[in-house]
Amino acid sequence: MNIRQSFFLALKALAASKMRALLTMLGIIIGVAAVIIIISLGDGMKAMIDEEFEKMGSNLIQAYVMGRGSSRAADPEDMYRLVEKYPEYIRAVSPHVAVKGIVKVGTETYPSASLIGVGEDYNAIKALELTCGRFIRYIDAARLHNVCVIGSYFNQEAFGSEGLGKTLSINGNRYTVVGVLAASADNSSYGDDNTVYLPYPNAIRLNGDSRITQYDFSAANEDTNIQAKALIENRLQKIFGDKDAYMVVAMSEVMGVMGTIQNTVMTVLVAIAAISLLVGGIGIMNIMLVSVTERTREIGIRKSLGAKGRDIRGQFIIEAGTTSAIGGVIGIILGVALAGIAGKLVGVAAVPSPAAIFISVGVSVAVGVIFGYLPAGKAAKLNPIDALRYD
């Protein structure tokens, strides 16, 4: 009997007992569907996280300065000189000053709006796009011009999307809107789009504190992130002489750590889902053992007509593999359908990858073949005379 005949015989055996066949496949169906759903959600979440990091800037390096008393401080001039000295490693820097203030437009107050003092290169570092107007310039910081750039959400809420050229009040000081930023994915009251940017010297004056506790740098390219971070750390070490006085974080390192954590979590989840495949394999083995017992006389007749042990073994292995493969196909269809639904529920684009589908098919067939080998071996070893006598 060739493989083709064994395959059609396997389909006939499955069709003869549809309910038992379905229950046999259930573990494989659940396991394959679970693997596809988990991998699809994982890929979707990874893409979403990568997109968010890209928005923040993959070359972004943030230096947080805690300081050591009032006699030592990291001045903006120190940081700007660092960029001028090592342009091949560091492309730009901007002070980052959070302002404690109240924003008012006319008589309306906007307490949820964030106020940040920045330099002229901040938009390039953070890859911010303007819909109209311009960003903060060097001359604005040098001469303490009362100008600001607003996010799209604040522009909509405060000015009805017509904020360019209008004025607003920060702690009683009037500022003119010279630029409006494009909307980002989190266009909400708690996102970056509800932010007002002003020159950092103005922010320092509004706070009444000359210390700057954060600087945002941009490495020259992805290959210089490590060198740029080292240069910034060396400079801060010379200023403070204490590693506890500052902290430098490279976004590329954070992305790497996040990727490692995500891969570990995905591996664990896929391994847990794969347990269903193991359970399904055991179910196939048990049913095949029952099938061998039920078809003992059939096996005896085939052996008495000249069938060899390898023919019997091949028939039952193919039947087990066919059962598992059909379960795998059903699991793929179910997994693809549920992955899209699950993706919408959690808010990620869960698109099943061809690799996940091919792996699931391969694993499901392999499970059937491996767990079907024991029953097939038992069938192949049956004595034809004893098998013919079996009742």
Side-chain angles (χ1 to χ4, degrees), residues 12 84 93 112 141 173 184 218 286 308 318 326:
K12 184 178 179 181
E84 293 173 2
V93 63
S112 64
N173 300 287
S184 62
S218 177
N286 290 336
K308 298 184 181 300
I318 290 173
I326 294 174

Side-chain angles (χ1 to χ4, degrees), residues 46 49-50 53-54 57-60 222 225-226 229 249-265:
K46 186 177 184 301
I49 292 171
D50 289 345
F53 274 113
E54 286 295 330
S58 58
N59 297 333
L60 176 65
E222 292 183 4
N225 275 295
I226 296 175
K229 179 185 176 185
V249 179
M251 200 56 60
S252 59
E253 293 181 345
V254 176
M255 290 175 67
V257 172
M258 287 293 295
T260 301
I261 293 173
Q262 187 178 19
N263 290 337
T264 302
V265 172

Side-chain angles (χ1 to χ4, degrees), residues 94-282:
S94 170
H96 185 120
V97 182
V99 180
K100 299 175 182 178
I102 299 174
V103 183
K104 295 183 69 174
V105 177
T107 58
E108 190 73 25
T109 301
Y110 297 88
S112 64
S114 300
L115 290 167
I116 301 176
V118 297
E120 66 275 11
D121 290 326
Y122 185 82
N123 63 324
I125 294 170
K126 287 298 192 77
L128 302 177
E129 295 182 5
L130 289 158
T131 56
C132 57
R134 64 175 179 85
F135 200 71
I136 305 297
R137 294 174 179 170
Y138 171 79
I139 194 68
D140 297 325
R143 296 188 179 180
L144 293 171
H145 289 166
N146 282 12
V147 295
C148 64
V149 176
I150 60 176
S152 61
Y153 181 86
F154 184 85
N155 182 40
Q156 174 64 39
E157 292 297 305
F159 301 107
S161 299
E162 300 292 336
L164 186 64
K166 302 291 179 63
T167 60
L168 54 83
S169 172
I170 302 175
N171 290 357
N173 300 287
R174 294 177 66 83
Y175 281 77
T176 302
V177 178
V178 295
V180 178
L181 295 172
S184 62
D186 61 348
N187 190 22
S188 65
S189 60
Y190 298 101
D192 292 338
D193 292 328
N194 192 23
T195 302
V196 177
Y197 299 96
L198 57 150
Y200 73 89
N202 298 56
I204 292 172
R205 186 172 61 178
L206 287 170
N207 283 341
D209 187 349
S210 62
R211 292 178 301 174
I212 298 177
T213 58
Q214 181 178 337
Y215 289 92
D216 295 332
F217 293 84
S218 177
N221 53 63
E222 292 183 4
D223 298 328
T224 62
N225 275 295
I226 296 175
Q227 295 94 324
K229 179 185 176 185
L231 289 169
I232 297 166
E233 289 176 330
N234 290 339
R235 182 56 187 158
L236 292 173
Q237 180 64 23
K238 288 180 180 179
I239 294 173
F240 297 105
D242 184 356
K243 291 184 178 181
D244 293 332
Y246 61 88
M247 180 175 64
V248 181
V249 179
M251 200 56 60
S252 59
E253 293 181 345
V254 176
M255 290 175 67
V257 172
M258 287 293 295
T260 301
I261 293 173
Q262 187 178 19
N263 290 337
T264 302
V265 172
M266 283 295 298
T267 301
V268 172
L269 290 177
V270 170
I272 293 172
I275 293 175
S276 296
L277 292 174
L278 180 63
V279 173
I282 294 172

